[in-house]
Amino acid sequence: MAAAAARLRKGALLDAARRALREPSLVAVGALLKADVPAVRAARDAYRARGIRVKKLPNRLCRLAVADTDRAFLAGLFAGDLVVLHPTEASSDAGAQARDLLAATKDAGNVKLLGGALDGAALYAADFERLRDAPSLHELRASVARAVREPAARAVRRRHRDAQQEQGHV
């Protein structure tokens, strides 16, 4: 009876690990500097305030959760006291998510980022800093729109200037 309950609990934990590691577009793995209950609770509160979910899961189950997926590279991170971090809401702005993650990590003071994943790409700890400083999707779209419109606007200004010059010479 106890063995069946343990299998059921492990199955539920494995499902939780799969959801936490596979579903979000941005996932981070962090090492706990202190693993006592008050320190973990303080870290969890700091991350929740920024909209980031914290999962403390067994390393073996995390390795099983990412095995044979596009995030299998995460398996190398699972050793020691770790937490899995991911935003609670899906967003297309990975830069904003990284900013929230880094700010919450600073507020928590108990977690050191080791690495993670953005979609199917591996992220090292330093990549979160670069991602934070990257322009948002909205800013990139605006710069592309400006780049597309600028040649047309220059042509209109040139025609307008040429038309004024012709009127002045006639």
Side-chain angles (χ1 to χ4, degrees):
M1 190 91 151
R7 275 195 304 275
L8 187 63
R9 183 176 182 282
K10 283 182 183 177
L13 281 173
L14 183 58
D15 287 341
R18 284 182 178 141
R19 280 192 307 276
L21 291 165
R22 292 181 182 180
E23 291 176 6
S25 63
L26 179 67
V27 173
V29 177
L32 287 170
L33 302 177
K34 279 178 74 177
D36 61 349
V37 173
V40 172
R41 184 174 292 137
R44 186 171 279 143
D45 292 343
Y47 282 106
R48 281 183 182 158
R50 298 274 184 168
I52 296 170
R53 186 168 287 136
V54 177
K55 290 282 188 186
K56 174 97 174 78
L57 298 163
N59 293 332
R60 184 174 179 278
L61 293 180
C62 289
R63 283 190 293 273
L64 287 172
V66 297
D68 300 325
T69 68
D70 62 341
R71 293 185 175 185
F73 54 84
L74 289 174
L77 296 175
F78 298 117
D81 287 323
L82 300 177
V83 290
V84 175
L85 310 161
H86 61 89
T88 55
E89 295 181 17
S91 171
S92 60
D93 190 0
Q97 290 177 339
R99 282 189 287 282
D100 289 342
L101 182 70
L102 289 170
T105 300
K106 183 179 177 187
D107 293 345
N110 187 32
V111 177
K112 179 183 177 194
L113 292 180
L114 300 176
L118 176 61
D119 296 324
L123 294 176
Y124 297 101
D127 293 335
F128 289 101
E129 301 281 338
R130 286 191 283 274
L131 191 57
R132 175 194 62 196
D133 299 335
S136 71
L137 185 59
H138 178 71
E139 292 169 340
L140 288 173
R141 285 180 179 159
S143 66
V144 168
R146 280 192 302 274
V148 168
R149 282 192 305 241
E150 185 58 31
R154 264 190 265 137
V156 168
R157 284 193 300 264
R158 190 175 309 125
R159 284 186 189 158
H160 184 63
R161 187 178 56 237
D162 291 346
Q164 285 180 342
Q165 287 175 352
E166 285 179 15
Q167 287 177 357
H169 291 301
V170 176

